[in-house]
């Protein structure tokens, strides 16, 4: 793998799309720093009878950061409305833009079925409850179904089609071979088969003795989900159905970036998870898959075991409550009606108020800062995330950037903060040409006289059919655009650069990763190249995008 040059900063990003222009490469992107950060908070407001409190305005809210009043710079009220169908993609086009993959979404609910942390004995009941909920979704609901096994997987992204969601759970076959070497991605295998593979893995208890590994995998999976959902506007509810929750965000600070990577692989993941949660503004709804648990009968010969079991349960409940409170969700445990819990969580998307402000404290030291919001309308109850980690700029060192890209390299979920569209065409035997389009409005470009410079880390990763690594071509590039070209690309919301890929005979997938050096915005797109090459050799126009 070729090494990356370094430099980093912080900048705000917005959404967009489409076409045009030229670029040249230089070795070192320049450093850009923006010292203000926008904190976004989704607020649920309910009257005493539980109905949404409608008609609130910006002037009705008071917002405090650690007790200090803050100016609300942005305000919106989003009502749940019937979703529009996704936009069709032209042939040979691949993208991570959810507006194309799942259609426009103003509020969203994700069901995460956790096969990694749920005992097999509890999975069947939880699965039945998920099916009951999916059968009852309404045309206004926008629901996605994810599972967590060795890694996270999208069985069905956002839709209001109950049949499509049920297919991932109801129509799977029952006996794939369980193996840690089984592929995380196989375009020829249905999502239901992937789901069943993970159930098979759990039946062999592959993870029962690896609590630290499970926690590490869980954190990485949640980071991937947060990065996947980051682009969506409005309320984002993650209903996490699990038998245990082996993470903790109860501490009042996260590790500050170090000057060197060090030997501990865990603390960078915690730090990155805090950043991902801050940016995605994701409300977590932990649902205990074990349901109502009867108290164990006391016996003198097993008193210590009973006490340990009760302590473990209380620890799980405490983690669930903290996850919910700090992200703006609700915790559901000691209740057999998991379907009703999921319905309550989905209903929270009916009406959401979004408030955003720029904190005036100026102290970005990694500590948790408490947010308090008050409303002037009497009898109105509010629910929102209780704060955020005030983290400094992301480190610019190559080890940190490599860690982020390395995690994304193995994730089958596309990161969406930086929107990418890729047109694939044949460039000869086992060779492909990739026209990569990015919106310059989403890049933290800086002026240098009459030229604008945009720095990007670019990785092209080839994986085989078992999703084992074959090779990676990595580099840091700076696009230098003349002022008229840059302004034209900004107006068109599209900037295109070319990549050539010499495909390995063993490669089945290519994962394109692009990270803005200055802002840290990350985007990824997965392309099943064997399928494309097979059709491209006969008819370049017959291949379909995703």
């Amino acid at each position: 793998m070729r090494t990356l040059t370094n430099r980093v900063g912080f900048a705000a990003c917005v959404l967009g799309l489409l076409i045009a222009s030229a670029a040249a490469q230089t070795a070192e992107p320049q450093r850009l720093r923006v010292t203000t950060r926008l904190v976004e908070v989704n607020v649920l407001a309910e009257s005493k009878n539980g109905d949404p409190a409608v008609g609130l305005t910006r002037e009705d809210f008071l917002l405090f950061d650690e007790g200090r009043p803050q100016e609300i710079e942005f305000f919106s009220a989003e009502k749940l409305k019937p979703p529009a169908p996704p936009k069709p993609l032209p042939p040979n086009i691949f993208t991570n833009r959810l507006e194309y993959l799942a259609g426009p979404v103003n509020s969203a609910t994700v069901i995460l079925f956790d096969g990694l942390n749920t005992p097999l004995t509890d999975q069947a009941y939880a699965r039945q409850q998920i099916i009951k909920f999916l059968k009852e979704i309404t045309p206004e609901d926008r629901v996605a179904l994810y599972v967590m096994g060795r890694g996270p997987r999208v069985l069905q992204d956002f839709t209001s089609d109950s049949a499509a969601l049920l297919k991932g759970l109801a129509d799977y076959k029952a006996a794939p071979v369980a193996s840690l070497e089984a592929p995380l991605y196989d375009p020829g295998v249905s999502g239901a088969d992937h789901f069943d593979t993970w159930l098979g893995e759990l039946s062999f208890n592959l993870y029962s003795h690896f609590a630290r590994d499970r926690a590490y995998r869980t954190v990485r999976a949640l980071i991937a989900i947060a990065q996947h959902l980051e682009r969506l506007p409005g309320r984002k509810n993650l209903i996490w159905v699990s038998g245990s929750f082996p993470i903790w965000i109860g501490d009042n600070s996260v590790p500050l970036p170090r000057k060197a990577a060090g030997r501990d692989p865990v603390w960078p993941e915690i730090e990155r998870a805090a950043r991902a949660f801050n940016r995605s503004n994701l409300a977590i709804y932990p649902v205990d898959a074990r349901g109502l648990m009867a108290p164990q009968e006391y016996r003198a010969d097993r008193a210590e075991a009973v006490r340990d079991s009760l302590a473990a349960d209380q620890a799980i409940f405490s983690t669930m409550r903290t996850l919910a409170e700090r992200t703006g969700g609700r915790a559901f445990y000691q209740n057999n009606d998991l379907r009703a819990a999921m319905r309550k969580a989905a209903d929270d998307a009916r009406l959401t108020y979004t408030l955003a402000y720029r904190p005036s404290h100026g102290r970005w030291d990694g500590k948790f800062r408490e947010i308090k919001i008050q409303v002037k309308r009497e009898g109105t109850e509010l629910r929102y995330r209780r704060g955020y980690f005030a983290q400094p700029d992301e480190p610019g060192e190559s080890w940190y950037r490599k860690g982020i890209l390395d995690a994304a390299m193995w994730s089958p979920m596309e990161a969406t903060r930086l929107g990418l569209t890729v047109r694939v065409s044949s460039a000869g035997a086992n060779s492909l040409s990739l026209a990569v389009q990015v919106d310059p409005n989403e890049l933290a470009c800086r002026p240098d006289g009459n030229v604008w410079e945009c720095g990007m880390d670019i990785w092209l990763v080839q994986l085989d059919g078992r999703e084992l690594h074959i090779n990676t071509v990595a580099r840091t590039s700076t696009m230098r655009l003349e002022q008229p070209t840059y302004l034209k690309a900004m107006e068109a919301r599209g900037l295109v650069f070319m990549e050539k890929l010499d495909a390995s005979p063993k490669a089945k997938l290519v994962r394109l990763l692009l990270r803005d050096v200055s802002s840290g915005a990350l985007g990824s797109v997965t392309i099943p190249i064997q399928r494309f090459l097979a059709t491209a050799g006969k008819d370049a126009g017959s291949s379909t995008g995703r």
Side-chain angles (χ1 to χ4, degrees):
M1 180 186 295
R2 281 179 259 170
T3 58
L4 303 177
T5 58
N6 57 10
R7 293 288 187 273
V8 82
F10 187 96
C13 293
V14 294
L15 307 180
L17 175 62
L18 238 50
I19 291 201
S21 242
Q25 295 181 9
T26 62
E28 293 276 335
Q30 297 298 313
R31 193 179 190 88
L32 172 69
R33 287 195 178 275
V34 178
T35 57
T36 59
R37 299 161 171 86
L38 196 69
V39 175
E40 181 180 305
V41 188
N42 291 134
V43 181
L44 300 179
E46 295 181 344
S47 59
K48 289 183 178 179
N49 62 5
D51 292 333
V54 300
L56 295 174
T57 66
R58 183 198 309 250
E59 288 69 30
D60 290 317
F61 291 95
L62 298 173
L63 191 152
F64 302 86
D65 186 311
E66 289 291 332
R68 298 176 61 180
Q70 304 292 315
E71 179 184 355
I72 300 172
E73 294 192 20
F74 174 83
F75 174 86
S76 70
E78 293 286 347
K79 289 184 178 180
L80 199 62
K81 54 188 176 183
K87 301 177 182 179
L89 278 171
N92 306 341
I93 298 293
F94 301 83
T95 187
N96 65 348
R97 297 178 181 273
L98 291 174
E99 60 265 36
Y100 282 84
L101 301 178
V105 179
N106 70 326
S107 290
T109 298
V110 175
I111 305 293
L112 174 61
F113 185 86
D114 186 350
L116 177 61
N117 299 298
T118 306
L120 191 64
T121 52
D122 296 319
Q123 290 188 31
Y125 178 73
R127 177 177 171 276
Q128 292 171 2
Q129 293 290 300
I130 292 173
I131 289 174
K132 286 183 179 180
F133 166 74
L134 295 178
K135 286 181 176 178
E136 298 174 355
I137 65 172
T138 69
E140 290 77 23
D141 289 328
R142 204 63 164 162
V143 178
L145 179 62
Y146 301 169
V147 293
M148 188 194 306
R150 285 194 303 119
R153 171 66 57 199
V154 176
L155 293 186
Q156 174 63 54
D157 236 326
F158 297 102
T159 182
S160 56
D161 185 351
S162 178
L165 291 159
L166 287 167
K167 182 176 175 56
L169 289 175
D171 296 337
Y172 67 87
K173 297 179 182 178
V177 176
S179 170
L180 282 173
E181 299 301 322
L184 278 172
Y185 182 94
D186 184 347
V189 177
S190 71
D193 290 332
H194 281 295
F195 175 79
D196 189 62
T197 297
W198 291 322
L199 288 183
E201 289 180 358
L202 267 295
S203 71
F204 281 85
N205 297 315
L206 295 179
Y207 300 105
S208 60
H209 302 293
F210 301 99
R212 182 180 176 89
D213 181 65
R214 286 195 300 111
Y216 184 83
R217 290 177 184 271
T218 300
V219 170
R220 276 212 163 184
L222 292 175
I223 292 173
I225 291 171
Q227 290 175 338
H228 183 64
L229 301 178
E230 190 171 347
R231 194 176 186 85
L232 289 179
R235 177 103 180 156
K236 289 164 279 189
N237 299 331
L238 177 65
I239 304 174
W240 182 7
V241 183
S242 179
S244 64
F245 301 85
I247 66 169
W248 179 249
I249 59 171
D251 293 337
N252 288 323
S253 65
V254 295
L256 290 175
R258 302 178 182 178
K259 293 183 179 180
R263 295 182 179 180
D264 185 1
V266 176
W267 80 261
E269 298 300 328
I270 297 173
E271 194 265 347
R272 290 166 193 153
R275 289 187 189 276
F277 288 151
N278 277 353
R279 287 196 296 249
S280 66
N281 202 11
L282 184 66
I284 300 178
Y285 291 73
V287 177
D288 193 341
R290 301 173 299 171
L292 179 63
M293 293 178 294
Q296 298 190 41
E297 181 182 355
Y298 176 81
R299 280 172 34 189
D301 62 341
R302 55 193 298 269
E304 185 174 345
V306 171
R307 184 172 62 248
D308 291 345
S309 177
L310 291 174
D313 289 340
Q314 291 304 316
I316 290 174
F317 299 157
S318 177
T319 299
M320 294 173 67
R321 289 193 298 269
T322 302
L323 280 169
E325 290 169 0
R326 289 210 163 176
T327 61
R330 307 188 198 196
F332 299 94
Y333 51 88
Q334 288 288 49
N335 192 323
N336 284 336
D337 196 351
L338 307 185
R339 177 206 58 82
M342 289 181 267
R343 183 67 262 169
K344 287 179 183 178
D347 286 343
D348 279 350
R350 288 178 295 172
L351 174 62
T352 303
Y353 295 97
T354 300
L355 285 61
Y357 71 102
R358 298 184 189 276
S360 59
H361 56 77
R363 298 181 60 183
W364 301 95
D365 53 8
K367 293 184 179 180
F368 186 81
R369 297 190 64 87
E370 185 177 353
I371 295 172
K372 286 189 177 180
I373 300 176
Q374 298 175 357
V375 63
K376 298 177 182 178
R377 182 182 294 182
E378 188 176 349
T380 302
E381 295 183 358
L382 303 181
R383 185 151 42 83
Y384 51 90
R385 63 169 168 149
R386 294 301 177 180
Y388 64 98
F389 291 102
Q391 292 171 281
D393 294 342
E394 291 189 61
E397 289 85 356
S398 61
W399 67 263
Y400 184 90
R401 291 156 56 197
K402 181 180 180 298
I404 292 175
L405 290 161
D406 184 68
M409 177 180 85
W410 295 110
S411 174
M413 282 186 167
E414 280 97 349
T416 63
R417 185 179 172 197
L418 193 60
L420 303 175
T421 303
V422 183
R423 179 183 294 276
V424 184
S425 59
S426 176
N430 293 324
S431 183
L432 294 177
S433 177
L434 309 180
V436 183
Q437 180 178 277
V438 62
D439 185 348
N441 293 277
E442 299 180 14
L443 297 173
C445 302
R446 71 179 294 275
D448 181 16
N450 197 40
V451 174
W452 286 82
E453 296 184 348
C454 312
M456 295 177 289
D457 291 330
I458 303 170
W459 282 24
L460 279 172
V461 183
Q462 296 190 48
L463 305 168
D464 68 12
R466 299 158 67 85
E467 199 151 333
L468 298 177
H469 180 260
I470 297 175
N471 64 59
T472 296
V473 175
R475 74 175 189 279
T476 296
S477 171
T478 296
M479 304 179 101
R480 293 179 53 85
L481 306 172
E482 299 288 340
Q483 176 92 352
T485 301
Y486 177 72
L487 294 178
K488 188 183 226 179
M490 291 278 285
E491 183 179 358
R493 306 189 74 82
L495 186 64
V496 174
F497 63 93
M498 304 301 298
E499 294 288 334
K500 184 179 179 182
L501 174 72
D502 294 322
S504 165
K506 297 180 180 179
K508 300 291 184 183
L509 302 172
V510 167
R511 192 160 286 148
L512 169 68
L513 309 175
L514 194 149
R515 182 179 180 273
D516 183 10
V517 172
S518 292
S519 72
L522 175 67
S524 63
V525 177
T526 300
I527 303 169
I529 60 170
Q530 284 295 326
R531 182 187 68 179
F532 176 82
L533 288 172
T535 56
K538 300 175 183 177
D539 180 2
S542 65
S543 181
T544 58
R546 50 174 301 169

